[in-house]
Amino acid sequence: MAFKIGLLGLGTVGTGTAKILLDPQGRHPLLQELKLHRVGVNSLDKPREVQLPAGVLQTDLTEIVTDPDIEIVVELLGGLEPARSLILKAIEHRKHVVTANKAVISRYGNEIFQAANEAGVYVLLEAAVAGGIPAIAPLTQSLVVNRIQSITGIVNGTTNYILSRMQTEGAGFEGVLAQAQALGYAEADPTADVDGYDAADKIAILASLAYSGEIDLEAVHREGIRQINATDISYADRLGFAVKLLAIAKPDPTQDTYQRDRLQVRVHPTLVPKDHPLASVNGVNNAIVVEGDPLGQVVFSGPGAGAGATASAVTADILNIAATLKVEELEAQTLSQQFPDQQPRTKVDVPHPLLSCQHQHACQIVPMEDLVTRFYARVLSPDRPGVIGKVGTCFGKFGVSLESVVQIDRKGEIAEIVVITHDVREGDFRQALAELVETDPIDSIPSVLRVL
Ligand code: HSE
């Protein structure tokens, strides 16, 4: 038995995947039954890091997704098109699909999962979130009986690298970004990473699978890290926090009962207490903390990108599909041996319920003004008696209770007052800030960050 694979894309992850498929020795024995049948690329002339068997490489991608011999299509092209259309065409031709494409799945997951379920094929996407770290399989299989109370992750390596270096070196964002670009840790156009788009795609996918619902990506609150500066990182550090770009999904805690269709889904820089497992995840690493009932807390961490790590997740998905196909084939063989006189049974596709993705409802996303969280704010004011009192009075008027108020530094005549609040409704806090900034003698409020 050999399961024929059609691979689309031979970039970093495609090359890593081809390398594993072509070097099965010492890995799971089922890998030896996978055959890299065709590989689709844009150009045949480009030098390749992997030696492919003769005749495998081709440029007609449609031919691959419609090839009757191919059972599993592995989409590693990235980007929206032609990836989305090729995935749908592969499904139409009853191919199982493995993809690492977070942009396509976060936007078109519903359409793709529906098409796959109708065609009786699987779409697996472990590599789309946090590279080599198991995140999808835990949420859809290992932890599936839990009520997922929260998913909190560092799911973007580029921003974690930048923030970690800002923290250890006391450096500014622009300088560290330029160095990260020179070292290949950040793209020439860093928008997708530093403005939080990549993390938003990933948390939308995790939320949709953990809560079995469709997530409107446009409704996911997204803030990046461009506004983070060395001053706030230094204050946060002195107050016992690390600054991290967090992606968070959780059911609306203001509801009386646990509901999977009303969620907070958000990406923003956050002050993380230093004793939290995410505070010490540094550099390009990713980590995801899942809280479940009755499980409690589990932490998954490791390399969130890179050829080997991501290919490890891709190939495990391929193997999972091959394993279910093999069970089906063995079952059919056994039946025909036991009942040789009977007609071969008509194949009825009953998808493995923990491998197929299904949205059971549309999730409503809670507006940020209704979020209840702690805040950090840095307030600038001429250093005069009574200023801290005025800050406290203004916050008190809007029901904002303060956990700490400190004046650590002074720049000339201007004092820097740093406030950490207790839990407060975001809408109330924003109203207090709007009034505070107009209060004499307050000069400005240059930074406001949420606290985990
Ligand atoms: N650009 C992503 C990151 C890796 O920095 O984590 C791929 O998802």
Side-chain angles (χ1 to χ4, degrees):
M1 249 186 255
F3 301 99
K4 295 204 174 92
I5 315 293
L7 174 60
L8 307 179
L10 204 55
T12 308
V13 182
T15 302
T17 302
K19 282 182 179 170
I20 297 177
L21 290 172
L22 296 170
D23 179 22
Q25 208 276 323
R27 311 187 203 273
H28 193 285
L30 189 55
L31 263 177
Q32 290 170 11
E33 297 183 35
L34 304 182
K35 179 163 187 281
L36 189 55
H37 189 60
R38 290 171 180 242
V39 177
V41 292
N42 281 330
S43 158
L44 296 179
D45 304 328
K46 211 170 150 185
R48 303 286 170 188
E49 259 185 58
V50 59
Q51 179 88 36
L52 295 172
V56 163
L57 213 56
Q58 65 176 79
T59 53
D60 189 339
L61 306 189
T62 305
E63 200 176 74
I64 295 180
V65 299
T66 55
D67 179 342
D69 287 342
I70 285 177
E71 282 151 306
I72 305 171
V73 166
V74 182
E75 183 279 306
L76 299 175
L77 299 167
L80 292 180
E81 286 295 351
R84 170 185 160 272
S85 301
L86 288 164
I87 289 173
L88 287 169
K89 193 160 268 304
I91 291 170
E92 191 188 314
H93 284 78
R94 304 205 66 203
K95 316 292 176 210
H96 302 282
V97 173
V98 172
T99 178
N101 197 321
K102 61 206 165 245
V104 166
I105 296 296
S106 62
R107 286 161 186 79
Y108 304 109
N110 203 44
E111 178 189 19
I112 288 170
F113 298 153
Q114 266 184 26
N117 292 334
E118 278 162 24
V121 296
Y122 297 112
V123 174
L124 299 194
L125 51 125
E126 183 62 68
V129 179
I133 305 173
I136 309 280
L139 286 172
T140 55
Q141 296 174 44
S142 333
L143 310 181
V144 76
V145 300
N146 285 269
R147 294 196 182 103
I148 302 298
Q149 291 153 328
S150 63
I151 303 166
T152 310
I154 294 172
V155 291
N156 182 268
T158 304
T159 45
N160 203 46
Y161 174 83
I162 293 172
L163 290 173
S164 302
R165 282 199 53 187
M166 287 173 72
Q167 176 132 18
T168 48
E169 294 164 26
F173 170 78
E174 292 296 341
V176 175
L177 170 63
Q179 286 174 22
Q181 285 170 317
L183 292 167
Y185 291 125
E187 305 275 349
D189 176 359
T191 308
D193 295 317
V194 302
D195 293 323
Y197 291 97
D198 174 80
D201 285 352
K202 290 168 177 170
I203 195 66
I205 294 173
L206 292 180
S208 80
L209 298 176
Y211 301 107
S212 302
E214 187 182 359
I215 303 284
D216 174 10
L217 184 63
E218 295 296 313
V220 173
H221 178 82
R222 178 190 51 74
E223 288 170 43
I225 64 161
R226 285 187 202 266
Q227 81 283 15
I228 301 298
N229 56 58
T231 306
D232 292 312
I233 289 192
S234 162
Y235 279 135
D237 185 53
R238 283 192 260 178
L239 293 168
F241 300 95
V243 179
K244 298 289 181 191
L245 183 69
L246 294 191
I248 299 172
K250 55 164 83 168
D252 181 1
T254 65
Q255 302 296 300
D256 291 337
T257 55
Y258 178 89
Q259 288 174 15
R260 303 197 321 158
D261 59 356
R262 191 176 153 80
L263 308 175
Q264 294 176 5
V265 189
R266 50 194 165 99
V267 171
H268 49 73
T270 312
L271 266 63
V272 179
K274 283 186 183 168
D275 60 1
H276 188 279
L278 293 179
S280 52
V281 174
N282 289 317
V284 291
N285 281 327
N286 284 193
I288 298 172
V289 176
V290 179
E291 311 250 1
D293 170 28
L295 170 76
Q297 186 187 77
V298 282
V299 185
F300 302 91
S301 67
T310 313
S312 150
V314 168
T315 320
D317 275 351
I318 301 173
L319 213 59
N320 258 305
I321 293 173
T324 65
L325 299 182
K326 187 166 170 122
V327 169
E328 276 179 24
E329 283 196 29
L330 290 173
E331 216 177 45
Q333 266 177 23
T334 311
L335 281 172
S336 67
Q337 279 161 10
Q338 283 176 347
F339 307 103
D341 302 333
Q342 288 192 8
Q343 291 283 321
R345 66 176 183 159
T346 314
K347 194 166 173 257
V348 180
D349 280 308
V350 182
H352 186 313
L354 300 187
L355 282 187
S356 52
C357 301
Q358 222 147 31
H359 289 158
Q360 288 154 3
H361 47 253
C363 292
Q364 202 187 334
I365 303 210
V366 181
M368 287 302 278
E369 67 208 44
D370 289 335
L371 178 71
V372 174
T373 185
R374 293 192 291 163
F375 280 94
Y376 158 102
R378 181 159 55 94
V379 179
L380 302 189
S381 167
D383 197 358
R384 290 196 209 138
V387 172
I388 287 184
K390 282 190 178 180
V391 171
T393 305
C394 179
F395 279 136
K397 186 174 155 190
F398 292 91
V400 180
S401 167
L402 300 182
E403 186 178 293
S404 73
V405 184
V406 285
Q407 182 183 328
I408 303 176
D409 273 348
R410 182 182 156 139
K411 290 188 178 129
E413 288 306 299
I414 297 290
E416 290 199 309
I417 301 161
V418 172
V419 169
I420 305 272
T421 72
H422 285 296
D423 270 344
V424 55
R425 189 179 159 274
E426 176 146 352
D428 297 341
F429 182 68
R430 299 275 172 202
Q431 271 190 296
L433 287 180
E435 182 158 317
L436 183 61
V437 80
E438 298 299 329
T439 302
D440 181 61
I442 302 299
D443 178 88
S444 58
I445 306 174
S447 309
V448 175
L449 293 164
R450 297 176 192 84
V451 179
L452 191 64

